[in-house]
Amino acid sequence: MGDITVIGIGPGRQGAMTIEAMEALRKADIIVGYRTYTALLREIFLEKRFEESGMRSEEERCRRAVALAQSGLGTAVVSSGDAGIYGMAGLCLAMAEGTGVSVRVIPGVTAASSGAALLGAPLENDFAVISLSDLLIPREEILGRVRAAAESGFVLCLYNPGSHTRREILREACGEILRYRPADTPCGIARSIGRGGEGVEILTLGELRDREADMLMTVFIGNCRTRVLSGKLVTARGYKEEK
Ligand code: SAH
């Protein structure tokens, strides 16, 4: 019997992958994952066996990983960022349940961390991470969480802020937040972190509401302690010196 290692490979570039993740990939007999991520790994592991699939087949990919492990292969399943944050770890654990295949999870640098670092330090105080994808969770539940987090004063970090089929969700989310925060609240966008086209933008909450979002963005929404310092988005922890 083989096993499954679910590996978060970080935002994209090799330097942002942990040494532990790299070692686990090196040891694996086969690497299973979404095409964008396996393409990055093919450049590093030239001799490795790969199996890739398209966007919406996470279940199929996990089922396949379980079968590969049962056939005796050390099977690596890769997710971008951290595999346990909107990744493949939970599904792999659920689908391996009762099959005798053991599953190990190796953490990675999630987009909240890598994006925050590019922008400055927006997550220095309490924050909430919310995915705006309504493929698996009803839209009302998502907007309810955005509202609750905004009312509670959390800095917000939004994953999956939009796509061509979900143009309105970021506008709606900003609408909820604007009930509790002024339109000039500092916000940030980190895009294509660790990949070609990487970039950041600092803008106000009012401007963010009218922005067209896509799947390659992670969005940060400041709170009353967030400021722009020398072009960086910074949330104060509360030290006297930070005033
Ligand atoms: N497991 C991943 C998240 C997958 S959900 C992680 O831990 O980072 C997909 C969303 O994550 C994207 O829509 C985007 O909001 C964010 N994301 C993932 N990788 C990114 C990158 N390289 N640059 C910007 N955002 C990214």
Side-chain angles (χ1 to χ4, degrees):
M1 179 73 82
D3 56 11
I4 295 178
T5 312
V6 196
I7 303 169
I9 62 167
R13 73 196 148 77
Q14 194 181 333
M17 203 186 301
T18 69
I19 293 169
E20 192 183 19
M22 199 63 130
E23 283 307 309
L25 287 166
R26 194 167 285 134
K27 279 195 201 131
D29 298 313
I30 183 164
I31 300 174
V32 176
Y34 175 49
R35 215 165 278 123
T36 310
Y37 314 134
T38 51
L40 298 167
L41 298 175
R42 273 182 188 280
E43 294 170 15
I44 308 171
F45 300 101
L46 300 174
E47 308 292 312
K48 194 70 74 179
R49 213 179 129 188
F50 282 90
E51 218 178 87
E52 44 247 317
S53 54
M55 187 68 148
R56 291 245 188 121
S57 48
E58 277 99 358
E59 281 140 317
E60 185 193 303
R61 219 177 299 155
C62 283
R63 199 172 303 120
R64 181 72 186 135
V66 171
L68 289 165
Q70 282 176 317
S71 78
L73 295 177
T75 306
V77 176
V78 292
S79 276
S80 75
D82 186 296
I85 299 175
Y86 312 118
M88 302 273 289
L91 187 58
C92 280
L93 282 160
M95 291 183 73
E97 180 73 4
T99 65
V101 170
S102 69
V103 178
R104 193 161 69 102
V105 182
I106 297 193
V109 179
T110 191
S113 282
S114 53
L118 276 181
L119 282 159
L123 305 182
E124 280 289 16
N125 218 312
D126 300 339
F127 64 97
V129 176
I130 298 175
S131 166
L132 297 190
S133 171
D134 59 0
L135 291 176
L136 302 171
I137 304 285
R139 173 174 286 236
E140 269 320 302
E141 191 176 328
I142 296 168
L143 292 173
R145 286 197 184 145
V146 169
R147 193 180 314 131
E151 186 177 13
S152 306
F154 289 107
V155 167
L156 273 91
C157 177
L158 304 177
Y159 283 48
N160 300 304
S163 70
H164 54 285
T165 56
R166 295 183 295 109
R167 287 240 179 273
E168 284 303 303
I169 188 106
L170 180 62
R171 168 182 286 280
E172 286 171 4
C174 289
E176 294 294 341
I177 301 163
L178 280 162
R179 291 162 60 169
Y180 305 98
R181 293 184 198 177
D184 64 355
T185 299
C187 296
I189 296 172
R191 92 164 3 258
S192 293
I193 308 158
R195 305 181 192 167
E198 178 181 88
V200 290
E201 188 182 348
I202 292 181
L203 68 180
T204 66
L205 179 55
E207 289 165 341
L208 181 66
R209 180 183 46 191
D210 298 326
R211 202 43 68 94
E212 206 154 278
D214 63 55
M215 296 300 282
L216 276 170
M217 290 178 178
T218 299
V219 170
F220 297 78
I221 293 159
N223 66 6
C224 60
R225 294 192 176 83
T226 306
R227 292 154 307 157
V228 180
L229 300 177
S230 305
K232 300 276 186 185
L233 194 62
V234 182
T235 303
R237 287 194 65 196
Y239 296 114
K240 272 203 206 106
E241 305 292 325
E242 287 182 303
K243 275 210 269 39

